[in-house]
Each structure stands twice: as C-alpha cells, then as structure tokens.
Amino acid sequence: MKKKEKQNNSLRRRFSIVGFAAVTLCIAFFSVIQFYLMDDIFALAAKVSMIDAATEISETDFESPDFLPVISDFETSRGIYIEVYDNSGKLIYTTEGNDYVYDPAENPQTNLKSRNMKVISHSQRKDGSYFELREEVFATAQYIVYGASLKEDSSLQIFYPVDTITKNAETASITLFALSVFALMLYYIATYYLGVAFSKPVYIINSAAKKIADLDFTQSCPRFRITELDELSKSINTLSNSLENALNDLKSENLKLESDILKERALEKSRRDFVANASHELKTPISIIQGYAEGMKYGIGCDSTDEFCDIIIDEAEKMNSLVVKLLEFLHIGSGEYPVAIQSFYLDELLISHLDSLENIFREKGITLKSEIASNLHALGDPTLLRIVFNNYISNAISHSDAEKTILVTVKEEESVYNVTVFNSGEHISDQDIGNIWQSFYRADKSHSRAEGRFGLGLSIVSTIQDVHGEKYGVKNVEGGVEFNFTVRKAQH
C-alpha cells in the first residue's frame, strides 16, 4: 500500500497530471470559443475584408477600360459579390451580369436588376456606410451586405455569403480542435519524458541524500545538464565529503581519546601497584629494624647487641638501596631526566664495567666470557646504558648456576650494535617471561630479598631503552637464558 501511495505521489506522475490537466483546460476553453464564437470572428473578418475591398474599389477609375477586370479580380479573390450604382441609384454593375454600363449612350443595356432580398438587420456606421444581413426572397441563402458611397455620388454594395462564413468557421473549428488534441498528445508525451528526465536526477540525488543520512558516503551524485540540478548535485557531493571528513576526524579523535583514557587508566593502575609494591618492599626492612631496635631497648638478647646492630645496618642498607632504585626509576620514567646523547665507544664502556666486577665473579665462582670487538663507535647516554648493562650483569650473576658461565657478546648489525648477556641456568617459565619487565616482579622469589633484589632492575632497563627508542628482550636458549639490548651506531 505504501509503495502504491509513493508511486501516486511521485514527482513524475504529479508533473504529468498537472501538465495534462492544464493543457486540457486550455483546449476546452479554446474549444468553447471556437464553437460558440468562431462564426462571429469569421463574420468580423469578412466585414473587415469588405471594408478594405470597398476602399480599394473607390480608388479605381470607373471610366478606365481596366475597371471591369479589376472588380472581377476582387470578386474572385475575396469570394464576394459586388453591385455598383450610379448617382441616380441605377444599377450599372452586378456580379450576375458581370457587365459595365456606366455610359448608357454607348451601352444601351439597361435591364440589370438588383438581387431580390429582404433586410433582416441593419447597422449604420459613422462614416455613412452600413452593414446589413439580407436573405434572398425565393431562397434561404443569407448574405452580409456592406454598402458605401463612391466618388461622384455613386455607390456600391458588397455581398458576402453567410453560408461561406459558417463553413469556414466550422472547418477552422474542427481543424483547430484536431490540432489541439494532437498538441495535447504531444504535450503529454513531452511532459511524461520531461518528468522522467527531471525525476530521475531527483531520485539519484534523493538516494545519495538517504545514504548520507545513514552515514554512508560511498555514493556520489553525477553531473546533470540542467543547471539547477547540477548545482544541487555538486552541493550534495560537497556536503557528503565534508560530513565524511568531519566524521573521520571525529572517529580519529574518539579513538585517540579512548586510547588516552585507557593509557591513563593503565598508568593510574600502574601507579597504584607501584605504590603498593614499594610500600610492601619498605615494610619488611622497617619491621625488621623496628623489631631489633625494640629488642635492644628492652634488653632482649643483650649478648647479641652487635648482631642486632649488624642486622639493623644490613636492613637499612637494603632499604636505602631500594629507595635509590625507586628514585632512579621514577626519575628516568618521568621524562624529565636529562638524557645526554653523545658519541662514545661501546666496547670501552662494557669492558671497563666487567673489569670492575672481577672480584664478584671470582667470589661467586663465575666464569666470564666475552666477545667484544674494538672501536665500537656508538651513540647514546653512556651513564644510562651502563645502568642497563649493569642490571643485565647483576641479573645474570644472581641466576647463574650449574656451569656458572656468563657470556657477553656484541654483534654489529646494519644501524645498531646488539649486546647480549647469556647466563647458564634454568629457563624462565612461560608465565614469567612476559612479566619480568614489570616493576617489583620477581620470577625467583625465594632468594630475591636475601640478595637485595627488588624487581626493579629490568623495569629500569625497559624505561631506559624506551627513552633511547631502542630494543630489548629475553629468550631461553640452550643451557640458559639470554638477555639483549641494542645501541645505536654513531654516524662516521
């Protein structure tokens, strides 16, 4: 039902109906005029023609031998009958006799007679001429008669058959009616195809507008020959492009906002976890110091005062170490740390740091191996990169077991140096390997506190490498675990 209503209300249908109705009314109006007024119109035209003929005849010289041919031509060309009277009222020319008897002395024929008619109506004009409607006495034929004076007081009468006027009016009416019907058909066909030509672009534009309303910008309006429709098409396309760009910008901003919100939430959670973990790490040494200090105060274990003091000192050192690492981590991660990017020799930095740890390797019974080439010209902050390397070495010392071997290698790649630190020992579990870069996360919790490790070393590594825009990672290899980080090559 709705589809049928839409079809009935379509622009093309309404355009055709309105056009058809308008032309039909016009034809009906002119048809009424034709059938009821056409006779009067043709009669008026006949009167005008008779007046013009009388004017031209009055300018003709009656005494000229060309008078008879001239007046005969008037009758033939205009379909009229003429009678001419002299100044005494005698008929000197009539159509039926078609004779010229202006001079009775030369032409003794005097038996010309006027038509035997009766006057039905008479209409006098201001110039003395008149119009009459006459009817033959012995016939039903009617004539419109125009009478006018000529020079030398002669006169003429012009007869126009009413039957001729009626037939001409009927012929013209029928002809005009037929032409009107034909014009109506042509107009209806023209309006139908014009409606199609006009409604099709409107349908296309409407379809595009509906898709825009549904936020679908895939359809664009084509160009049209009609200027107004072409301008409307351009406006729709401009609107579509503007809305699409605005929507894309809005989506981009929304995605960015969502990402920022998620980052902020993650950062807030990280902060809470960081504070909780830091509090937990500080709580243990504080509790131990408090316990031993109270024992000393109340004389508990008086023989172990030195031992208590050593424990308190040891816990204080651990707490101090934790605080230092916390400050170090926060300082670097805040983005306010003044990173001093400069060129240096990576091999010298690595070797000098390994030499400083020689006694520790000896005490732990660890075999150190290194494969470091010379003249490794690098670019970065040497202080921060020493912290990265130190944390890797410290982690390797803590987890090295079995063969107790640490291997440091530097591989030169296209634009970076890839530093790897291998330590023999157990592999990191799949559960732990993705979490070891988080703050306060310790894969081996049994010995961590005793060795003064708080789970911040690898977090500091990730932060420093992020500041440099370089890579870092870990993987289980045969016989142990291998950590790596990259350092940018210096431009020569």
Side-chain angles (χ1 to χ4, degrees):
M1 185 67 181
K2 290 183 178 180
K3 185 176 181 181
K4 188 174 181 180
E5 289 178 358
K6 286 184 179 180
Q7 291 177 350
N8 292 336
N9 292 325
S10 67
L11 179 64
R12 181 176 62 190
R13 181 181 178 84
R14 297 179 72 176
F15 189 88
S16 300
I17 291 175
V18 170
F20 183 80
V23 174
T24 302
L25 289 175
C26 291
I27 291 176
F29 176 74
F30 286 112
S31 297
V32 171
I33 293 177
Q34 291 169 13
F35 284 108
Y36 289 96
L37 300 178
M38 190 62 73
D39 287 349
D40 294 336
I41 293 173
F42 269 77
L44 180 61
K47 290 178 179 180
V48 172
S49 177
M50 287 189 289
I51 292 172
D52 292 340
T55 301
E56 293 184 23
I57 291 172
S58 67
E59 296 174 354
T60 305
D61 186 5
F62 295 161
E63 297 179 358
S64 171
D66 295 330
F67 176 75
L68 185 62
V70 169
I71 200 169
S72 296
D73 289 341
F74 270 106
E75 291 178 324
T76 303
S77 62
R78 303 194 181 213
I80 58 177
Y81 306 137
I82 298 175
E83 290 183 353
V84 181
Y85 298 85
D86 62 12
N87 55 7
S88 64
K90 182 180 180 180
L91 181 64
I92 60 175
Y93 176 85
T94 178
T95 300
E96 290 181 349
N98 198 15
D99 204 352
Y100 177 47
V101 289
Y102 185 73
D103 187 357
E106 297 180 3
N107 190 349
Q109 185 177 357
T110 59
N111 58 349
L112 296 178
K113 295 181 179 181
S114 300
R115 289 178 174 79
N116 190 7
M117 295 182 177
K118 60 181 179 180
V119 178
I120 298 176
S121 64
H122 177 86
S123 176
Q124 191 71 31
R125 301 178 75 236
K126 292 181 180 181
D127 60 356
S129 62
Y130 61 87
F131 280 103
E132 291 181 344
L133 177 62
R134 298 180 186 179
E135 185 178 78
E136 291 182 341
V137 175
F138 301 105
T140 58
Q142 292 183 342
Y143 295 86
I144 294 176
V145 180
Y146 175 69
S149 299
L150 299 175
K151 59 186 178 178
E152 298 179 359
D153 296 329
S154 60
S155 63
L156 68 77
Q157 290 181 350
I158 300 176
F159 298 79
Y160 204 112
V162 173
D163 184 57
T164 301
I165 295 174
T166 303
K167 288 181 179 179
N168 291 338
E170 289 179 354
T171 302
S173 297
I174 294 172
T175 303
L176 289 175
F177 181 77
L179 290 175
S180 299
V181 173
F182 181 71
L184 175 63
M185 294 176 63
L186 289 179
Y187 182 82
Y188 181 75
I189 294 172
T191 53
Y192 176 81
Y193 285 102
L194 182 62
V196 172
F198 186 79
S199 62
K200 186 176 180 181
V202 173
Y203 173 80
I204 294 173
I205 293 173
N206 183 51
S207 176
K210 285 182 177 179
K211 289 194 174 183
I212 292 174
D214 295 333
L215 302 182
D216 181 0
F217 306 102
T218 57
Q219 180 176 338
S220 60
C221 298
R223 300 293 300 273
F224 299 108
R225 293 181 179 178
I226 302 175
T227 303
E228 290 78 5
L229 291 177
D230 190 55
E231 291 296 327
L232 179 59
S233 175
K234 290 179 182 177
S235 300
I236 291 292
N237 290 335
T238 302
L239 175 64
S240 176
N241 293 333
S242 299
L243 286 177
E244 184 177 15
N245 292 334
L247 187 60
N248 289 336
D249 292 341
L250 184 60
K251 287 180 179 178
S252 177
E253 292 297 326
N254 285 340
L255 290 175
K256 183 179 178 181
L257 181 60
E258 289 178 3
S259 176
D260 291 342
I261 291 173
L262 291 176
K263 287 180 180 179
E264 184 63 27
R265 288 177 180 174
L267 182 60
E268 184 62 27
K269 183 178 182 301
S270 176
R271 288 170 181 168
R272 289 197 300 267
D273 293 344
F274 185 84
V275 172
N277 290 328
S279 300
H280 178 75
E281 292 293 338
L282 289 171
K283 182 180 179 181
T284 301
I286 290 173
S287 298
I288 293 173
I289 291 172
Q290 181 181 4
Y292 280 97
E294 288 177 353
M296 292 175 64
K297 178 179 179 180
Y298 294 109
I300 299 173
C302 294
D303 297 337
S304 304
T305 301
D306 292 339
E307 182 183 350
F308 283 10
C309 288
D310 291 338
I311 292 174
I312 290 172
I313 291 170
D314 183 58
E315 291 300 327
E317 288 177 351
K318 290 178 180 178
M319 189 166 58
N320 180 69
S321 176
L322 172 60
V323 171
V324 170
K325 284 190 175 292
L326 283 173
L327 293 174
E328 186 179 63
F329 176 76
L330 292 174
H331 195 192
I332 297 172
S334 66
E336 299 178 357
Y337 184 87
V339 181
I341 303 296
Q342 57 185 296
S343 61
F344 65 98
Y345 285 98
L346 179 61
D347 54 300
E348 294 179 2
L349 183 148
L350 300 179
I351 292 172
S352 64
H353 188 70
L354 291 176
D355 291 341
S356 68
L357 298 174
E358 185 177 351
N359 292 332
I360 296 177
F361 293 141
R362 191 181 302 112
E363 290 175 5
K364 297 285 187 178
I366 295 174
T367 302
L368 174 66
K369 298 179 181 179
S370 63
E371 298 176 0
I372 304 172
S374 301
N375 297 321
L376 302 179
H377 198 195
L379 193 65
D381 188 326
T383 303
L384 293 181
L385 293 175
R386 182 182 288 274
I387 293 173
V388 172
F389 186 58
N390 177 64
N391 287 343
Y392 272 179
I393 293 296
S394 298
N395 186 75
I397 292 172
S398 298
H399 292 87
S400 181
D401 57 12
E403 297 180 359
K404 289 194 174 185
T405 301
I406 294 177
L407 173 61
V408 178
T409 62
V410 179
K411 294 180 180 179
E412 185 175 352
E413 297 178 0
E414 184 177 354
S415 59
V416 296
Y417 297 111
N418 190 4
V419 182
T420 61
V421 177
F422 166 84
N423 66 269
S424 60
E426 296 182 1
H427 288 171
I428 303 174
S429 67
D430 293 338
Q431 180 182 357
D432 294 329
I433 201 166
N435 298 318
I436 59 175
W437 308 102
Q438 298 178 12
S439 303
F440 296 105
Y441 188 87
R442 296 188 295 266
D444 182 8
K445 300 176 178 60
S446 58
H447 300 94
S448 295
R449 191 178 184 284
E451 297 177 0
R453 292 188 290 109
F454 307 100
L456 288 173
L458 295 181
S459 264
I460 293 173
V461 168
S462 65
T463 301
I464 293 174
Q465 287 299 98
D466 288 340
V467 168
H468 281 83
E470 296 296 333
K471 298 178 181 179
Y472 59 94
V474 63
K475 61 181 178 180
N476 294 316
V477 296
E478 184 179 354
V481 179
E482 182 180 271
F483 285 82
N484 65 83
F485 70 97
T486 61
V487 181
R488 199 182 320 161
K489 281 184 177 181
Q491 298 287 337
H492 292 290

